[in-house]
Amino acid sequence: MSHSFIESNFSRLTYCDHCQGLLWGLVKQGCRCTGCGAVCHQQCQKSIPSCTNEKPEPPIYQRSMTDSPAAKSLRSLQQQHSSDNFNNDTSLGKLKRIATSDEFQNVLVSAAINSTDTTQPPNQYLANLPPLNPQSTAKNFSRFVSRCGPMFAGRDNLILLLSWNKPIDTMVAMLIYCIICLHPKLVLLVPHVILLQIIITGYNKKKNKTPQSNNTNTNTNTATTATTTTSSSSSSSTTSSNTSTSKPTSSSRFSFATSLFPAFDEASPEYLKNMQNLQNMMGEMSDLYDLCASNAHHFDWSSEADTMRIFQAALISLIVLCIGIWFIPLNIVFLVAGIVMFLLNTRFAKFVMKEMLPQVTEIGQSQMDSAVQWYTQVEKRLDDQANFKELSLYENQRWWSGSGFIPHMLPDERGLWSDFSGAIELPPKEELPAPKGYHWIEDNWSLDKTGPWTDDTLGIVEVMVYPESGGWVYTDNNWENPRNNDTNTVSDTTITTTPKDKSITRRRRWVRKCELDMSRKSII
């Protein structure tokens, strides 16, 4: 029996029953038999074995020989159920047909080709901006002035709200702000609340305007009747009066656009108020720009020292801020900042800040100067460490019976002159040259009689070192365990007896400063 194949979509990996190959594609990857359920490629339909299952008989209500009332009722219920499913799946079906259509695939291919076209402008808005035109400038300026009132009204209302002009409203606003900070998802409701507020406000304006327009119409009609009965020569005035009575009726219609962005006459108080606000806003923006321009030298590397300090301070504050926001929830930060903003705008806080501002400014300036001075000292110290170096040279001696402490070492032991560890043997101090790229700034070597000692290589300070007479530090046979200078042991080179505390080695530190050559400074 032959198969009954139809093109089908497969949502998972499916393989052909004939060639065992994968059915490729996004939609309509292959064919499925409605009888036995076999799947295959379109080119494998003729090669697949015959269908083993017979096609099922149609339902009883679809048979032509059954026209009984029960069959008709069953057929009508089935059709009604099918129509309900069709109505419910209409939108989904349309979207499915659009997604699987050839037109949509062509659109995707065209979009992929168009995305690689570098000749097209990256943004159509910026590419299609109108050119400069004096008439358009004057027209758009006049339009903007007549329609920018809500922007400044919102700004003024916000300032009055923060200034506790109406304490009840400010308290409610602060409570709402706290709730939003504790539950940030409520921010998604703000646009809907604003839209509902605008609609309700417009509705109230419409209701309040309708009775006034009706009263105006009644008074105008009465005045027109009286004028007609007294004089027949006033027909022209009556006509103009009737015309004027019709205007309030048409203007009584509420318009959302005219309510939110009214178009004022250029001589009206509202238009002049907007002009004043624009004038002040432009002055404030210019003052802000001048302030930024006057301090730009701190950021444009005109003074490398100042810019580097600001750069380092910004990096440190960025690290601290990242650590802070990692441990402190952001909504808590906004909550505290908002409450502080509300409280600082009270009359009490404003008066206190006004009176205490000079003292606080003076203290802040002094602290800033102290911080800058401390930072300058740290920089100078770091520069000195980079440009200046203190070289250490250690003189070593060992005690010998009959001779005392003399400059004579055991075989395979440290040299008479060495570094801190003793592993590197150095020439005597009279012959030791300055390091490469440095020159001596002191004429002679000086003896370190106080300590502590430092390792020039590792920069480690040996704290438990107490030089004795002559700057000597006495140690054991392994040049370890330096003794305290409070020990009542005579340490003189003329002693020929063995020291009682087994301090049979000693060393002392000579130091001399050197400076980096100017040629190398310029390179650094």
Side-chain angles (χ1 to χ4, degrees):
M1 183 177 178
S2 61
H3 290 275
S4 178
F5 286 110
I6 59 172
E7 291 184 343
S8 303
N9 299 324
F10 300 94
S11 59
R12 61 184 64 185
L13 295 178
T14 308
Y15 298 87
C16 178
D17 292 338
H18 172 65
C19 64
Q20 304 303 320
L22 181 65
L23 301 181
W24 291 94
L26 297 177
V27 294
K28 297 182 180 179
Q29 299 94 329
C31 302
R32 183 193 297 274
C33 178
T34 58
C36 62
V39 295
C40 64
H41 296 99
Q42 294 183 358
Q43 61 271 20
C44 297
Q45 295 183 24
K46 297 181 179 179
S47 303
I48 196 168
S50 301
C51 184
T52 57
N53 294 341
E54 297 183 357
K55 190 173 182 179
E57 295 183 356
I60 188 172
Y61 60 83
Q62 294 182 358
R63 298 178 184 176
S64 58
M65 70 285 297
T66 57
D67 292 330
S68 62
K72 292 181 179 179
S73 300
L74 183 60
R75 188 183 302 114
S76 62
L77 291 174
Q78 182 68 20
Q79 292 176 353
Q80 182 178 0
H81 180 70
S82 299
S83 62
D84 293 340
N85 291 338
F86 177 78
N87 292 332
N88 293 334
D89 298 338
T90 298
S91 300
L92 183 60
K94 289 181 179 179
L95 293 176
K96 185 177 180 181
R97 285 195 298 272
I98 292 175
T100 57
S101 63
D102 295 337
E103 181 181 0
F104 182 70
Q105 295 180 1
N106 294 333
V107 170
L108 293 180
V109 173
S110 300
I113 296 174
N114 189 47
S115 63
T116 59
D117 187 5
T118 57
T119 60
Q120 297 292 333
N123 187 276
Q124 293 295 332
Y125 171 76
L126 297 178
N128 298 325
L129 286 175
L132 180 62
N133 185 280
Q135 289 79 10
S136 299
T137 302
K139 179 182 177 181
N140 291 336
F141 179 78
S142 178
R143 292 174 57 200
F144 178 76
V145 172
S146 63
R147 290 162 174 80
C148 65
M151 177 178 66
F152 295 108
R155 180 204 62 183
D156 297 340
N157 291 332
L158 179 61
I159 293 175
L160 292 176
L161 185 68
L162 292 176
S163 301
W164 297 79
N165 183 49
K166 296 180 179 180
I168 301 299
D169 295 346
T170 305
M171 291 289 292
V172 172
M174 186 167 62
L175 178 61
I176 294 174
Y177 179 82
C178 295
I179 294 174
I180 292 177
C181 289
L182 296 176
H183 304 281
K185 293 181 179 180
L186 295 177
V187 176
L188 300 175
L189 304 180
V190 173
H192 298 77
V193 173
I194 295 175
L195 179 60
L196 293 175
Q197 176 66 23
I198 292 174
I199 294 175
I200 294 174
T201 303
Y203 179 79
N204 293 333
K205 288 183 178 180
K206 178 181 178 181
K207 288 299 182 182
N208 293 334
K209 194 171 184 180
T210 302
Q212 296 177 3
S213 63
N214 292 334
N215 294 334
T216 305
N217 292 338
T218 303
N219 296 332
T220 306
N221 292 332
T222 303
T224 304
T225 304
T227 305
T228 305
T229 55
T230 53
S231 175
S232 60
S233 63
S234 60
S235 58
S236 60
S237 63
T238 305
T239 304
S240 62
S241 177
N242 291 332
T243 304
S244 64
T245 57
S246 62
K247 290 182 179 180
T249 305
S250 61
S251 63
S252 63
R253 296 180 181 178
F254 175 76
S255 174
F256 175 79
T258 57
S259 175
L260 191 58
F261 302 103
F264 301 117
D265 180 55
E266 294 186 2
S268 62
E270 292 82 1
Y271 189 91
L272 298 178
K273 181 67 174 178
N274 293 345
M275 284 286 292
Q276 178 187 1
N277 288 323
L278 285 175
Q279 164 196 297
N280 298 335
M281 184 183 69
M282 289 187 292
E284 293 169 357
M285 294 299 296
S286 300
D287 294 340
L288 180 62
Y289 178 85
D290 294 340
L291 178 63
C292 296
S294 62
N295 293 278
H297 63 279
H298 296 296
F299 307 94
D300 59 3
W301 297 94
S302 298
S303 174
E304 294 187 1
D306 293 343
T307 305
M308 181 56 68
R309 292 171 186 170
I310 296 175
F311 179 74
Q312 294 172 351
L315 284 180
I316 295 174
S317 60
L318 177 62
I319 296 174
V320 174
L321 183 61
C322 292
I323 297 175
I325 63 178
W326 180 265
F327 293 100
I328 302 176
L330 196 59
N331 59 339
I332 301 299
V333 175
F334 278 97
L335 176 63
V336 175
I339 293 177
V340 170
M341 180 63 68
F342 276 103
L343 296 180
L344 289 180
N345 278 278
T346 59
R347 289 186 173 89
F348 175 80
K350 288 180 180 179
F351 183 83
V352 172
M353 288 189 296
K354 181 180 178 181
E355 295 296 326
M356 300 300 297
L357 185 61
Q359 293 85 344
V360 174
T361 304
E362 183 179 356
I363 295 174
Q365 187 64 38
S366 62
Q367 294 294 327
M368 181 63 67
D369 295 339
S370 301
V372 172
Q373 184 179 3
W374 172 82
Y375 187 81
T376 304
Q377 293 176 356
V378 172
E379 279 188 332
K380 185 177 183 302
R381 191 177 306 163
L382 293 176
D383 292 340
D384 291 343
Q385 290 180 359
N387 297 329
F388 296 91
K389 181 183 293 186
E390 186 180 61
L391 194 64
S392 300
L393 181 63
Y394 293 87
E395 181 182 1
N396 307 310
Q397 292 184 359
R398 174 176 284 275
W399 184 89
W400 295 91
S401 178
S403 300
F405 287 95
I406 59 175
H408 182 72
M409 301 289 108
L410 294 174
D412 301 330
E413 195 177 20
R414 67 180 61 195
L416 299 179
W417 300 87
S418 66
D419 64 345
F420 176 80
S421 63
I424 301 176
E425 185 175 356
L426 299 174
K429 58 185 177 62
E430 294 82 4
E431 303 176 2
L432 183 65
K436 185 177 180 180
Y438 288 81
H439 62 275
W440 298 117
I441 59 176
E442 294 180 346
D443 296 333
N444 298 313
W445 293 82
S446 58
L447 182 64
D448 184 3
K449 297 182 180 181
T450 58
W453 288 357
T454 59
D455 186 352
D456 295 334
T457 304
L458 302 178
I460 300 175
V461 178
E462 188 178 0
V463 179
M464 301 302 295
V465 170
Y466 303 97
E468 300 182 25
S469 176
W472 294 104
V473 174
Y474 293 84
T475 53
D476 58 14
N477 185 56
N478 296 324
W479 302 87
E480 298 176 352
N481 302 318
R483 77 184 185 189
N484 197 312
N485 56 9
D486 294 335
T487 305
N488 295 323
T489 304
V490 180
S491 55
D492 193 280
T493 56
T494 60
I495 295 179
T496 58
T497 58
T498 304
K500 297 180 179 180
D501 58 353
K502 299 182 180 180
S503 299
I504 59 176
T505 59
R506 68 179 183 179
R507 56 179 176 165
R508 57 183 175 180
R509 176 175 179 248
W510 297 86
V511 295
R512 190 176 183 182
K513 292 183 179 181
C514 56
E515 183 182 8
L516 187 67
D517 294 337
M518 295 300 298
S519 59
R520 295 182 61 86
K521 282 184 181 180
S522 60
I523 296 175
I524 296 177

